[in-house]
Amino acid sequence: KPGEQKHAQEPSSLQCMHLAVVACGDRLEEPLIMLKSAVLFSNGRLCFHIFAEDSLKPEFEKRLKEWPSSYTKKFESNFYPITFSVGNAQEWKKLFKPCAAQRLFLPVILKDVDSLLYVDTDVLFLRPIEDIWHLLREFNSTQLAAMAPEHEVPRIGWYSRFARHPYYGSTGLNSGVMLMNLTRIRSTQFKNSLIPGGLTWEEMLYPLYQKYKNYITWGDQDLLNIIFYFNPECLYVFPCQWNYRPDHCMYGSNCRGAEEEGVSILHGNRGVYHDDKQPTFRALYEVIRDFPFEDNLFQSLYYPLQSKFLDTVHTLCGRIPQVFLKQIEKTMKKVYENRVIVYLGANHRY
């Protein structure tokens, strides 16, 4: 309009929803299936930040390029070597699972990225990434990261029973799905148990590890629990349906949010995608893995999933199939409307 100031177009880097994953050792298939679930159900632009060992990168790139163009045009992929800016690299690399500690250094490495969603390789999206990305808007002025509790019930939670170090809240945090405002993390002085004053994120990491390394079991996740124990005002806690793990159903259903809304993000820790201990989790992984990109979502994904679930009703997790199916059914209906109904409607008009 006349008299209004013109604004420059928003840079493409800000238009992206940034998603990071770390792949080491034999972890190639899992992160590829995770990324596949992301592009299947999301409509917005995605920027993948893939931290991988040199031996994995060529095959990783090759497999991504084999996806149909209708999907590859939805994302851009950036590859990075495994690097640790402070401390002993070999020590960091061997902390808990191979290379998992890389996530601690994302604010330092990705200096041009404002916000980021980090996920473990064994995560599956059952709804659009946009939906968890929007939680960034709910952060108050001090919050700079978001995670879900490690457990909902303190009497059967790991941290509340066994931890020998400080941890957040009454049950600790699980870091398999972590939403981060990297700009705030880089500019914050964090309270800590090392010195009376504050330390930056990078300054704090290695001394904190040195102090607690004889007491931590779950590696970088324990360090994050220690950090947010001393800085609870910095954390936004999202509900369990955004990081739904076997612990939420193998002792009986204890994630109310998933019972009400369905699972939003599935986290198959304990290796359950690859053994027979939790066939409900394995069924979801295999159906998404085997889904041909261009096929009908209901015929080639949803109906096979329902069929596989019939074989899991003898397990505690298998007795609540609606928890696993509710959100994915809702998401697929939206995808169908966007790709078929809207498309046909446009053609019909013209």
Side-chain angles (χ1 to χ4, degrees), residues 59-69 72 75 293:
E59 183 65 15
F60 219 124
E61 290 181 307
K62 175 177 173 287
R63 297 274 292 274
L64 286 177
K65 287 176 182 176
E66 291 172 352
W67 291 1
S69 60
T72 57
F75 68 87
F293 272 104

Side-chain angles (χ1 to χ4, degrees), residues 92 95-96 158 164-166 208-223 226:
W92 284 121
L95 183 64
F96 191 47
W158 192 91
R164 296 187 295 154
H165 58 75
L208 204 63
Y209 165 69
Q210 287 294 314
K211 178 172 182 176
Y212 292 103
K213 65 180 180 180
N214 294 327
Y215 305 99
I216 60 177
T217 302
W218 307 112
D220 51 302
Q221 177 173 289
D222 289 349
L223 287 177
I226 294 166

Side-chain angles (χ1 to χ4, degrees), residues 103-274:
R103 89 183 80 185
L104 297 173
F105 295 87
L106 297 180
V108 181
I109 298 169
L110 302 176
K111 294 184 183 298
D112 296 326
V113 176
D114 175 67
S115 296
L116 178 85
L117 176 64
Y118 166 88
V119 295
D120 285 348
T121 61
D122 51 7
V123 156
L124 293 172
F125 293 94
L126 305 187
R127 66 189 289 183
I129 289 182
E130 293 93 298
D131 294 343
I132 188 169
W133 192 258
H134 290 159
L135 294 181
L136 285 164
R137 301 174 185 171
E138 298 187 15
F139 284 17
N140 65 25
S141 60
T142 63
Q143 291 166 338
L144 46 76
M147 285 182 276
E150 171 66 18
H151 215 286
E152 302 303 302
V153 185
R155 62 182 172 81
I156 54 177
W158 192 91
Y159 283 103
S160 47
R161 290 185 295 161
F162 304 117
R164 296 187 295 154
H165 58 75
Y167 59 89
Y168 180 90
S170 59
T171 59
L173 300 164
N174 185 281
S175 60
V177 179
M178 185 175 179
L179 195 59
M180 292 181 273
N181 184 317
L182 300 183
T183 300
R184 288 187 179 183
I185 291 175
R186 287 187 287 263
S187 63
T188 297
Q189 292 284 318
F190 291 88
K191 299 187 292 292
N192 59 86
S193 59
L194 303 167
I195 63 170
L199 290 171
T200 67
W201 184 267
E202 188 177 20
E203 290 170 342
M204 174 175 57
L205 290 178
Y206 194 63
L208 204 63
Y209 165 69
Q210 287 294 314
K211 178 172 182 176
Y212 292 103
K213 65 180 180 180
N214 294 327
Y215 305 99
I216 60 177
T217 302
W218 307 112
D220 51 302
Q221 177 173 289
D222 289 349
L223 287 177
L224 289 168
N225 266 282
I226 294 166
I227 290 170
F228 290 107
Y229 168 84
F230 290 106
N231 300 271
E233 72 284 356
C234 293
L235 190 74
Y236 177 100
V237 180
F238 51 67
C240 48
Q241 65 264 32
W242 292 104
N243 186 352
Y244 191 90
R245 288 162 282 117
D247 301 69
H248 290 119
C249 55
M250 60 190 290
Y251 307 114
S253 183
N254 58 54
C255 176
R256 183 174 297 177
E259 292 172 5
E260 295 172 354
E261 297 183 18
V263 175
S264 297
I265 295 179
L266 193 76
H267 184 182
N269 64 340
R270 302 176 182 267
V272 294
Y273 295 150
H274 312 292

Side-chain angles (χ1 to χ4, degrees), residues 64-98:
L64 286 177
K65 287 176 182 176
E66 291 172 352
W67 291 1
S69 60
S70 58
Y71 287 94
T72 57
K73 69 183 181 182
K74 293 173 63 177
F75 68 87
E76 62 182 66
S77 52
N78 307 282
F79 286 84
Y80 309 84
I82 303 298
T83 54
F84 306 99
S85 61
V86 294
N88 185 304
Q90 289 305 311
E91 209 170 1
W92 284 121
K93 197 168 183 180
K94 294 175 181 177
L95 183 64
F96 191 47
K97 293 181 180 178

